[in-house]
Structure formats: structure tokens, C-alpha cells
Amino acid sequence: MGKSTAVERFLEGTAVPHVYVTGVYQATSRQQLAAAAQAVRESRQPLPSGEGLFPERPLSWRDWLARLSVAAANEPIVVVLDEFPWLTTQDPSLEGELQAQWDRVLSRLPVLLILIGSDVTMMSRLATHDRPLFGRLRQLVVPALDPGEVAEALPTWPAARVIDAALVTGGYPRLLADLADSGAPTIEDYVRASLTEDLSPLVATGRLTLDSEFPDAASAYRVLSTIGADEKARLGFTDIVVSMADDADNNVARTATTRALRILTDDKQLIVREAPAWTDSTSRLRRYRLTDPYLRFWFRYVERQVEAIRRGRADLAISRFDRDWSSWRGRAVEPLVRTAVDRLAPREPRLAGVEAVDAWWTRDGQTEIDLVARDARATSYLGTIKWRASGVTRRDVAALDQARALVPRSRDAKLLAVAADGEAPAGADLFLTAGDLLEAWR
């Protein structure tokens, strides 16, 4: 999220000479090297002797890196290789050459080397023991802005509206900036205005992101769409297979689904596999949920409406949003609430001892508990989350009380009620509002 922009801002804030090289998708190695030499000549803070470093195109990455060592001989420099996976795809020797030049020369000079890539798994593999750069990297994943940072971006918004904004934008800096600049008083107003234009950031960003992630993985994209577009956005394996089997036999669909889920959970980390509290991750009750709030929103309200928006029928997209936004939001907020309670536990005395926060549900799906906060031996709190105008009612608390007999190790559990705002309901041992949840990120 905003990796390149963050590094650019860092470079602009220093007086240190630097070179910023951006890999080009499917460009040849020769073209990449020519662009790397050009980047040295065009730097806003030129390297020492930058003009004379590349009188001709470097013949290899070893040649290019060796010339940089000349520039760093007398003063510090910063070297940025953006879209690093695209550079190594065309020349797999780059990793090895980088390791050799780093060990022999560059590590002894005042050089800060920054490698940037969008594929988390591919970048993480650079640091594994069988790769040339093992032991030489300090990794940093740049996540989307968290709800606390969303609150900083929208300083006049009350806590409940901030959380709404986090659910819709996912903390994407581009979307948050667009929201703040729009002057919309609520997230609903922002969404309705954005859905009238197919090139608005809210509509276009999802497609741009997914096209870069899945240029050739149609099955993975379809699984992602199936989960995201569903009203609950948390389907079981069989539910996904049924969707995939529309135009294939069941065995083919199961194989395609299994392969796609592996890509989405392990490689792309866009899907999380969930199991009920007090069961392990291999439970047959597992279900799948998109990790990215913005993509959950985009698949639900944008993906299948883009063509309607383009032909001037934004009213169809807006109507669907208005129809079930309230109920969808009530479910979409649940993972955020569980994360907040988990983050609050170390500093909230009433949550002392909580080590994990999950949901719990039965095999038939008829009974579900929104929140189970527990330690290794017993449930500390059973919780209900009601993100609606009426908040948590006495009836909701009574149902939670009865669930003590259903959820394993919960006989002595206390009751936790979570709502956007309002007063604590009778019978709840702990009541949290949107303002309390935001404290988890402050």
C-alpha cells in the first residue's frame, strides 16, 4: 500500500544522492538495463559523477552495480529497485549478482539499498535460506492504513463513521485521500457519488489491483469473486465448489477450487481460512473470508455493476448498495471488531488473560456467536456485535447467555456487547462502542 510513494517521499526529504529504478513488466533484460542507466542520469538528487557513470549502456547488472560502487566511494547514496520481481523475471541472475556485489563491495560502502515488490510471497522468498540474499535483508511489509490512521485522515468524523470508512476504503491511501477531498459528510454519500463514475477511485482501484495480481489465474479470481460477492462474504469449501461447478463437473471444480484457495491463502494472502473457536484449522467447519475490507466491498457492490455504471445506469448500482448496505456492514465489521478486542486485551484490565478472539458456529449454520475471547483453557467472554441503530438489545444479551451451554468451555464466560454507539444493555458484563474499538490502534 503506497510503497513507491512512501519511498519517493523519503527520498525527497533527504539531501542524499539517489537513483530510483523501476522494473518494467515483460521488458527484456537489455531494456531494463538501459532504463536503469537512464534513471541514474535523470535522478533529482544526482549521484556523484552521475553524468559520467554510464557513457554507454551497462552490459550486465554486475556492470551496473559496479559503477554504483564508484559513486558511493566518497559519500552516501540510496539505490531503489522498484518492481524487483519484474527485474528478476527477465534476468534471474540479478539476485546472485546483487549478493556478490553486496558482499564484496557495496556492504562496505555507505549504501542504502531498497528493494520493492507488490507480491508479498515472492518478496518474502528472497529471504529464504536457499536464495542468494538470505541473511542480508531486513523485510518490511507496508500494510494498508489501520482504523486508527483512518481516524487521523478524517479528524472531524465520529468513531462509528470512521469505522464505516475503514470498511469501504480498506485503508487504501488513494481512496482515503479521495474521500477526504470529496467533502462527503458520510461514507454513504461518498459511495453513491463514486458509483456514478466508472473511473472514480472507488470503482477503478479494485480492477487495477486485481489485474496486477491475477493476469493469468482465472480460477483464483473466480473464487475470490465468489466469496467477495456473497452477502456473508465467508463461504465454506462446498459453497465455493458449487459455484465453480456451473460449467465443469464436480471433480474438476473441486480440484480447481483447492488449487485456487491455495494460491489465495498461501501465496497471495488475500483469503483467510477460519475455523470455529476451540477447533483447529483442519476442522471441516472451516470457511473462507477475504482479508481486504475494500475488496470485500468492491466485489459486493462494484464488480458486477461496472458495465451498468459505464452505460449510464449508476442507479442500479446505487440501488443495490442502498438495499443491503446496512445488513452487509453489520457482518463486514465483525472481523475488525475481533481484531480490535484482541489488540485491546494487553492493556484493558477487563480483558486480561485473553489470548485469542474468534467466532463460533454450528455445522448447520443456524447458530453463530460473533465473538469468543479465550485463553488456552476457557472462554473469558462470549460476545455479540450489533452494528445498527438499535444497538444491542436485552433479547440479544439473553441469547448470548443461553449460548454458554453451546460453546465449548464457556460455562463461566462473561458477556460482551459491541455496538456502534449507545448505552450498555442490561446483563452485559462489558460494553464496547466504536470509540472504544478505535483505541486499539492508538
Side-chain angles (χ1 to χ4, degrees):
M1 294 301 160
K3 301 176 295 299
S4 301
T5 301
V7 173
E8 285 277 15
R9 295 294 185 270
F10 162 71
L11 295 176
E12 290 174 4
T14 73
V16 178
H18 61 263
V19 56
Y20 195 114
V21 178
T22 301
V24 179
Y25 181 60
Q26 292 189 336
T28 65
S29 180
R30 180 186 180 91
Q31 291 170 326
Q32 305 276 24
L33 283 166
Q38 184 70 17
V40 173
R41 294 190 288 269
E42 294 178 346
S43 175
R44 291 180 178 177
Q45 291 283 345
L47 301 181
S49 306
E51 288 293 333
L53 286 177
F54 294 96
E56 69 283 331
R57 181 182 62 83
L59 300 177
S60 66
W61 285 109
R62 176 183 297 184
D63 183 17
W64 188 81
L65 291 166
R67 299 190 201 189
L68 291 187
S69 66
V70 174
N74 297 316
E75 63 178 296
I77 67 171
V78 180
V79 180
V80 181
L81 299 181
D82 200 352
E83 299 297 356
F84 188 70
W86 290 352
L87 296 173
T88 58
T89 296
Q90 294 302 319
D91 189 347
S93 70
L94 174 55
E95 278 187 67
E97 293 291 357
L98 190 56
Q99 177 255 320
Q101 290 297 316
W102 184 261
D103 289 352
R104 295 171 187 169
V105 182
L106 295 176
S107 64
R108 299 180 177 87
L109 296 172
V111 176
L112 171 62
L113 177 61
I114 302 174
L115 310 180
I116 305 175
S118 298
D119 191 312
V120 175
T121 301
M122 187 176 292
M123 294 299 289
S124 296
R125 286 173 182 161
L126 295 175
T128 56
H129 73 279
D130 59 340
R131 300 290 283 269
L133 298 179
F134 173 69
R136 297 167 179 82
L137 299 175
R138 182 170 64 181
Q139 293 177 278
L140 173 65
V141 176
V142 183
L145 301 179
D146 63 43
E149 291 162 335
V150 173
E152 292 181 29
L154 303 168
T156 63
W157 283 37
R161 290 187 182 178
V162 166
I163 289 180
D164 287 348
L167 294 178
V168 171
T169 67
Y172 281 45
R174 181 188 182 194
L175 297 181
L176 268 177
D178 187 53
L179 170 59
D181 292 341
S182 73
T186 68
I187 197 64
E188 292 88 347
D189 293 314
Y190 172 71
V191 170
R192 294 185 191 107
S194 296
L195 290 178
T196 63
E197 174 55 61
D198 66 306
L199 296 179
S200 71
L202 186 69
V203 172
T205 299
R207 176 58 61 192
L208 293 172
T209 300
L210 293 165
D211 284 349
S212 66
E213 290 283 351
F214 303 106
D216 304 308
S219 293
Y221 179 90
R222 183 170 175 185
V223 167
L224 197 66
S225 176
T226 296
I227 298 172
D230 184 77
E231 184 177 3
K232 294 182 179 179
R234 51 193 188 206
L235 299 180
F237 181 80
T238 302
D239 300 318
I240 301 170
V241 170
V242 169
S243 173
M244 296 288 283
D246 287 347
D247 52 6
D249 66 55
N250 195 59
N251 289 333
V252 172
R254 291 182 70 87
T255 300
T257 299
T258 300
R259 185 182 300 114
L261 286 172
R262 183 175 65 249
I263 292 172
L264 292 167
T265 56
D266 300 334
D267 295 346
K268 298 296 184 180
Q269 299 178 25
L270 291 173
I271 294 287
V272 62
R273 182 187 298 109
E274 297 179 323
W278 300 114
T279 62
D280 58 40
S281 59
T282 62
S283 168
R284 288 185 174 272
L285 292 179
R286 66 186 184 275
R287 66 188 184 189
Y288 298 88
R289 171 177 58 81
L290 272 65
T291 55
D292 186 326
Y294 166 65
L295 288 183
R296 290 204 301 272
F297 175 87
W298 189 85
F299 275 115
R300 179 62 181 169
Y301 294 111
V302 179
E303 183 207 21
R304 301 179 186 182
Q305 303 296 325
V306 172
E307 288 305 317
I309 294 170
R310 284 175 180 162
R311 61 186 173 89
R313 291 303 309 273
D315 60 298
L316 298 176
I318 294 171
S319 175
R320 179 171 186 177
F321 170 73
D322 287 340
R323 184 171 64 248
D324 71 2
W325 154 250
S326 181
S327 60
W328 181 89
R329 174 182 60 178
R331 287 180 289 274
V333 78
E334 291 174 8
L336 183 149
V337 171
R338 288 192 285 269
T339 299
V341 172
D342 188 47
R343 292 175 62 94
L344 284 171
R347 59 179 187 267
E348 168 54 63
R350 292 170 294 180
L351 295 171
V354 169
E355 299 175 3
V357 182
D358 304 297
W360 181 88
W361 60 93
T362 56
R363 184 174 301 276
D364 61 9
Q366 295 302 305
T367 303
E368 179 170 351
I369 304 303
D370 300 331
L371 189 151
V372 179
R374 57 192 175 89
D375 60 21
R377 296 174 297 176
T379 300
S380 302
Y381 282 93
L382 292 180
T384 183
I385 303 167
K386 296 294 183 268
W387 216 257
R388 61 194 183 194
S390 59
V392 181
T393 65
R394 186 187 300 270
R395 179 177 296 180
D396 296 324
V397 176
L400 199 60
D401 180 44
Q402 295 176 0
R404 286 184 171 119
L406 300 176
V407 183
R409 309 187 194 188
S410 302
R411 183 180 61 182
D412 299 320
K414 295 180 180 179
L415 304 182
L416 167 61
V418 183
D421 50 34
E423 301 294 327
D429 298 293
L430 177 59
F431 178 59
L432 299 176
T433 65
D436 300 315
L437 298 176
L438 285 182
E439 291 299 321
W441 286 277
R442 287 177 173 152

